[in-house]
Amino acid sequence: MRYNNITQAIFLDRPNRFIANVDIEGHIETVHVKNTGRCKELLIPGCEVWLNAPGTLGRKTKYDLVAVRKDNGILFNIDSQAPNKVVNEWLQGQDYDAVVPEYTYGDSRIDFYMTRGEEQFLMEVKGCTLEVDGIGYFPDAPTKRGVKHLRELTKATKDGYKAILTFVIQMDGVSEVRPNIETHPEFGTALAEAKATGVEVLFLKCHVEPDLLEII
């Protein structure tokens, strides 16, 4: 997926999880942060960030903050909506007969339902934006919703579905994602239980540019 209208800026601060203040060539602008995670190791005062101006009428903010360069030089896409978009594009090129986004299963809305012949698949997508020493970790903040989705995928395997948890790695150079048990032990437990019942865990490596996130 590619963004239009990308603008470079300098990150100043983040008053709350929804907004940030940035410096655009000497002008202070309040922007929307498209990631409600902590991102504390990324959004450090003085770092380079990139903004997208979607042009939606009636918005309170002109820009969305979509990418940031970490102090180690790695560029991260932190748009929480981007993983589903790139996976949708990627799935269209796979050998599925049908791909249905936002599929209701049990008490959850699962990101994708796919079919291939008589086989039925359920896929939940998670974006990884936390990197430590070349390894990705998820989540960067406790996620009850994430645990719920793992429980649903676990149940789905028992109902005959092929269930897949897909991590979209929103940075270059990382090929593995581990559960961040220090931040959310319950997610690690739920992931282990899901894998034990047959849930497949898929890591999708990506290339990131200020205006681009693509699966490689």
Side-chain angles (χ1 to χ4, degrees):
M1 62 162 291
R2 189 175 290 275
Y3 301 94
N4 296 317
N5 304 316
I6 286 290
T7 299
Q8 188 174 5
I10 300 299
F11 175 79
L12 299 176
D13 60 22
R14 189 179 184 182
N16 60 53
R17 62 180 183 159
F18 301 106
I19 61 170
N21 294 313
V22 302
D23 182 332
I24 306 174
E25 297 182 344
H27 169 70
I28 307 302
E29 183 89 16
T30 298
V31 302
H32 174 57
V33 179
K34 294 193 74 177
N35 190 314
T36 57
R38 292 172 179 168
C39 300
K40 61 182 181 180
E41 77 290 344
L42 295 175
L43 295 176
I44 298 172
C47 72
E48 292 180 293
V49 295
W50 284 265
L51 317 172
N52 172 234
T56 307
L57 295 177
R59 284 174 56 105
K60 293 182 179 180
T61 56
K62 178 180 178 180
Y63 296 103
D64 292 326
L65 196 164
V66 296
V68 54
R69 190 177 302 281
K70 195 176 179 181
D71 55 8
N72 62 3
I74 298 175
L75 185 63
F76 288 70
N77 178 290
I78 63 167
D79 180 352
S80 61
Q81 296 177 1
N84 279 47
K85 292 179 181 178
V86 295
V87 169
N88 197 2
E89 293 174 356
W90 178 77
L91 285 173
Q92 302 305 323
Q94 305 304 305
D95 61 345
Y96 294 107
D97 299 326
V99 176
V100 180
E102 297 294 315
Y103 183 79
T104 300
Y105 173 78
D107 295 327
S108 295
R109 190 172 288 273
I110 302 297
D111 289 323
F112 293 98
Y113 165 79
M114 300 92 73
T115 62
R116 181 191 295 132
E118 298 299 317
E119 295 181 307
Q120 297 183 88
F121 301 79
L122 290 177
M123 175 184 286
E124 184 63 23
V125 176
K126 303 297 181 189
C128 174
T129 60
L130 175 60
E131 174 266 342
V132 180
D133 297 328
I135 302 294
Y137 289 87
F138 182 91
D140 82 334
T143 171
K144 292 182 178 179
R145 183 170 178 266
V147 170
K148 179 183 178 183
H149 286 150
L150 284 173
R151 305 290 189 210
E152 294 286 17
L153 291 180
T154 298
K155 179 177 181 297
T157 61
K158 299 174 183 178
D159 290 343
Y161 291 88
K162 293 185 180 298
I164 307 167
L165 175 65
T166 296
F167 288 106
V168 174
I169 304 173
Q170 293 172 259
M171 69 208 81
D172 284 274
V174 174
S175 59
E176 177 188 0
V177 179
R178 299 175 184 174
N180 188 0
I181 57 177
E182 291 186 4
T183 295
H184 196 184
E186 187 181 1
F187 182 85
T189 300
L191 178 58
E193 292 173 351
K195 291 169 67 176
T197 64
V199 174
E200 179 185 356
V201 178
L202 181 63
F203 304 131
L204 293 181
K205 297 185 290 184
C206 291
H207 173 59
V208 178
E209 296 180 15
D211 66 342
L212 177 73
L213 177 68
E214 65 177 354
I215 294 169
I216 57 177

